Amino acid sequence: MTPHGKMTGHGGTGDRTDVLAVAALMRRSLRGGAVRRMAVPLREVVEDGHGTRFLSMPAVSADLGLCVNKTATITDGPGPTVTSVVPVFSTATGDLLDVLDGALVTDLKCAAVTALVTDCCAAPDATSLAIIGSGVQAWQQYLGVSAVRPITDVRIHSRTAAHADVLCARVRRADPSARVRVCASAREATEGADVISTATTSVRPLPIAARLAPHVHINCMGAHTTDSREVSRTLMERAALVVEDIEIAVAEAGEIHRGAIDLESLVSGDHTGLPGRTTVFSSTGHASLDLITCAHLVTRQASTTPKGRPYVAQPGTQESAGPPGAREAQLAAADREFTDTLARRDIVMPPDLAPGVLAGARSLRAMSELLRAVEVSDV
């Protein structure tokens, strides 16, 4: 995977360096079997009877030493329709390592998995990208695709022309040398494109170009159900489908995905050949990729935050979340500080209360350090 420069942007995922780093970690985790060994239950959705949905998407990885659970609310507005957070815990100690903004995690994950799949499927010399949609995920599509292909021609179509203009201007700022234009229709945008990315809320197939060259790769990232998708069933039937996980794709987006190529097979090459076939990444999401993204963010924060954060094991290892002896040393230091404080104040702790009070002091110390770290972080 070859980086194509650095880009500034908003939301923490404006730098291609982060996108490529997470994509590389995804690749290593898939090839090494770390994703296969994760415990990833199907997401839980609870409704309140008034239109609001509450989602829970947990994942646990002994290889990476992390447990995460993206929790989100989805409403009809006004304001943001999705609000989410991702608590990150150490599987070795149970400690809370971080609480990340769910939008940050989702955006970086989507850009990274787009980079990974596009790098595996798109023509090596692909230079033109069509984006249908103009929201946050449309920008992540540009970020992910342009990280792995030398995109010089970008066509954007959105049902809201003003939003398309905004995205167009943002892409021009990111790469002034690229040809970027707004198209009046999805057909106009996709005609002759090497890579197509759809990032809309449409539940009906988008009217993209009827004839696509065999080498075209499509990232289908928008709304999905068992009987709806942004691209037509006819196109999906003749294309080579790629999904994060087959069982989840079938459960959430239909039986048509039963014969798809999953990410592990894609990166390992354990599948039938893709050259000469249109490919469609029919994304339904997977909590394993959120966990991998969190591992990158927590490790990055550990290297930039004065107080640091616990070490995160690399895929393919069984290391705990912390250098050998580090956790014990931290606890011993906290215990000494607590004991010294009691002595300075001439406080005698009854023996039957000491264990509980000491445990509470440890928890308060850990939470204080976490809050200080969050205050100086960019998350």
Side-chain angles (χ1 to χ4, degrees), residues 13-30:
T13 59
D15 191 329
R16 287 192 182 102
T17 303
D18 265 341
V19 173
L20 289 168
V22 175
L25 183 55
M26 289 177 179
R27 189 188 293 269
R28 292 197 302 272
S29 298
L30 288 158

Side-chain angles (χ1 to χ4, degrees), residues 37-274:
R37 290 188 291 270
M38 289 184 192
V40 186
L42 288 174
R43 71 188 72 182
E44 291 285 341
V45 181
V46 180
E47 298 190 18
D48 68 351
H50 301 287
T52 300
R53 290 176 290 162
F54 302 89
L55 280 69
S56 173
M57 293 159 276
V60 180
S61 172
D63 293 81
L64 287 164
L66 295 180
C67 169
V68 305
N69 188 11
K70 184 193 287 185
T71 55
T73 61
I74 301 178
T75 65
D76 293 330
T81 56
V82 179
T83 302
S84 60
V85 295
V86 187
V88 183
F89 299 91
S90 163
T91 59
T93 66
D95 286 348
L96 176 66
L97 304 181
D98 213 331
V99 179
L100 300 174
D101 176 11
L104 169 66
V105 173
T106 298
D107 292 348
L108 179 53
K109 174 197 71 173
C110 289
V113 73
T114 292
L116 176 64
V117 175
T118 301
D119 199 42
C120 291
C121 296
D125 58 350
T127 58
S128 58
L129 168 65
I131 303 175
I132 311 303
S134 55
V136 172
Q137 287 309 313
W139 169 251
Q140 304 309 324
Q141 286 303 294
Y142 170 73
L143 194 59
V145 174
S146 63
V148 296
R149 290 295 183 270
I151 299 299
T152 58
D153 177 22
V154 181
R155 307 93 169 270
I156 299 168
H157 171 71
S158 173
R159 63 183 180 182
T160 305
H163 294 171
D165 288 336
V166 171
L167 179 59
C168 202
R170 189 175 185 185
V171 172
R172 287 195 186 103
R173 289 196 301 272
D175 187 359
S177 65
R179 181 190 182 201
V180 187
R181 65 187 189 275
V182 174
C183 295
S185 68
R187 182 170 289 103
E188 178 188 344
T190 55
E191 189 73 46
D194 297 318
V195 180
I196 299 170
S197 288
T198 61
T200 74
T201 57
S202 176
V203 296
R204 289 189 288 272
L206 299 167
I208 63 176
R211 294 183 180 180
L212 299 176
H215 72 273
V216 171
H217 170 65
I218 302 173
N219 293 309
C220 186
M221 308 296 289
H224 61 270
T225 68
T226 54
D227 57 5
S228 66
R229 203 63 174 151
E230 294 172 301
V231 299
S232 70
R233 186 176 185 88
T234 300
L235 175 54
M236 293 179 73
E237 287 174 342
R238 75 168 187 259
L241 292 183
V242 177
V243 298
E244 293 96 340
D245 177 88
I246 291 175
E247 293 306 317
I248 289 180
V250 168
E252 297 189 2
E255 280 291 330
I256 194 172
H257 298 83
R258 180 68 66 185
I261 301 167
D262 64 19
L263 288 186
E264 183 174 339
S265 298
L266 182 70
V267 301
S268 67
D270 186 22
H271 57 80
T272 55
L274 297 180

Side-chain angles (χ1 to χ4, degrees), residues 368-379:
S368 297
E369 291 180 352
L370 174 62
L371 291 173
R372 284 196 295 270
V374 171
E375 285 175 359
V376 299
S377 75
D378 62 351
V379 176

